[in-house]
Amino acid sequence: MMADGRINVKPLISHHFNFDDAVEAYKTLSDDKQALGILLQYPDVPKESLIVKQVTLKQDVSFKADQPVCGFIGAGNYASRILIPAYAKAGAQLHTIVSSGGVSATHHGEKNGFHKAATDVTEILDNKEINTVAVVTQHNTHARYVIDALNRGKNVFVEKPLALDDEELDAIEQAYNESTNSKLMVGFNRRFAPQIVKIKTLLQSVNQPKSFIMTMNAGEIPKDTWVQDIKIGGGRIIGEACHYIDLMRYLTGAKIVSVQARRMGNHPAVEVTEDKAAILLGFDDGSFGTINYLANGGKAFPKERIEVFAGDAVLQLDNFRKLRGFGWKNFKKMNLMRQDKGQTACVVAFLESIRSGKASPISFDELMEVSRYTIEAARQLRSQK
């Protein structure tokens, strides 16, 4: 009504002050009982001049160019709680952190000793001091940021998934092949967990195919959560089950040759069916395994269970805490005081490959293989009824 002029508020305005006199305006508000409507007149300046795209958090910082100098794109929950502390613990030089609004970047940047905080990713991509970029954003932006960073000759650590479809993977492959000595790493941290490393060591003595059952008691999340959005999060198979496709690929040490997937059938009582599925993988050494990604279980059951059947023996890992061996010579159990899914070890391995000039911890071909079969599994599930 005010906008339409049906209500006239001008008689309610008792005072005008320039913004520079705001203190006097508030004094008038508290001291003058006749004051009613007080307007502050802001200076007439270009809007662009009021926008600050970056702030310096830590002065007088010098960086060693022959060591990882890191920029973080994303300052959300996982980045702030897990990944940034892992990079700091691993001795990374933390240069710039970017978030869309800038508030979370400033908060976590100050907390973790970053040099700068910013709202524009070009502050990282175009900065020649930064040689390593960590991408921890919503899934639909991963491929774009990976490509932009590779095109500028930077090393890239991207949280899973690498991409949401084959077209994005093709573009990443082209950028990687055209880059010069850039390393690409996906945050498949579970293969770096201490108990998984132990399983890998035990399996090396088994010269025959292995069988795997990997169960992720994922828990239900609402249909309107961004991860469930195919265009933004890619769905939970691409966004989360990829961890287990990579893990099985690592433990077999053999190429994936086939994938078959089946989800829960449509039912009026179930809003999301894709996150209640089984994925069967075949490998070129004869091994095979099933990934049960199930969002309809209960919290009383372990959230993650891995079982390996090989050489007349079995290994069982619950929640990355308790590992038991059945029928293994000289091995019965390996239990941890606290859960360790390998996040820190994953970061350490990536940064060490940069420092030493050695190959990336996971080969580019393997990253692409796992990503393509993950996308194919999701494609099969979406075609079912």
Side-chain angles (χ1 to χ4, degrees), residues 77-97:
N77 192 40
Y78 185 77
S80 61
R81 288 178 51 250
I82 305 296
L83 209 54
I84 294 173
Y87 268 78
K89 187 176 180 179
Q93 302 173 93
L94 301 178
H95 193 292
T96 299
I97 180 170

Side-chain angles (χ1 to χ4, degrees), residues 195-363:
Q195 290 162 316
I196 294 297
V197 173
K198 181 63 177 178
I199 292 174
K200 178 74 170 178
T201 301
L202 291 169
L203 291 179
Q204 287 175 349
S205 64
V206 181
N207 189 26
Q208 56 181 274
K210 294 89 179 171
S211 303
F212 300 86
I213 300 175
M214 298 185 177
T215 301
M216 197 166 198
N217 182 26
E220 198 81 41
I221 63 173
K223 181 180 180 180
D224 58 359
T225 304
W226 70 267
V227 175
Q228 299 278 29
D229 190 312
I230 301 303
K231 293 182 179 180
I232 299 175
R236 298 179 80 183
I237 298 303
I238 288 178
E240 297 175 7
C242 57
H243 266 307
Y244 278 84
I245 294 177
D246 173 76
L247 185 55
M248 200 177 292
R249 172 66 173 84
Y250 169 68
L251 290 175
T252 59
K255 290 184 177 181
I256 304 171
V257 294
S258 66
V259 60
Q260 295 172 283
R262 177 67 225 184
R263 65 169 172 83
M264 179 180 285
N266 296 334
H267 191 279
V270 182
E271 284 192 320
V272 181
T273 56
E274 183 181 309
D275 60 5
K276 303 162 187 70
I279 301 169
L280 178 63
L281 297 174
F283 298 86
D284 69 358
D285 70 340
S287 297
F288 76 97
T290 302
I291 299 167
N292 298 308
Y293 189 93
L294 304 171
N296 57 335
K299 294 181 179 179
F301 190 78
K303 187 174 179 64
E304 299 184 58
R305 170 171 284 181
I306 297 165
E307 296 171 316
V308 185
F309 300 78
D312 299 320
V314 178
L315 293 165
Q316 184 182 67
L317 174 60
D318 277 345
N319 276 344
F320 290 85
R321 285 280 305 277
K322 296 181 178 181
L323 173 62
R324 294 189 293 171
F326 302 85
W328 291 89
K329 187 178 180 180
N330 301 322
F331 179 77
K332 289 187 177 180
K333 64 180 180 179
M334 177 185 173
N335 296 337
L336 304 179
M337 292 295 292
R338 63 180 62 183
Q339 188 180 71
D340 187 345
K341 294 184 181 181
Q343 285 100 338
T344 298
C346 177
V347 170
V348 168
F350 173 60
L351 295 180
E352 185 56 34
S353 72
I354 297 172
R355 294 186 181 106
S356 65
K358 295 180 181 179
S360 187
I362 308 176
S363 72

Side-chain angles (χ1 to χ4, degrees), residues 30 32 39 71 78 133 140 155 184 187 204 299 384:
S30 60
D32 188 349
L39 290 188
Y78 185 77
V133 177
N140 61 321
N155 304 303
L184 176 62
Q204 287 175 349
K299 294 181 179 179
Q384 294 167 5

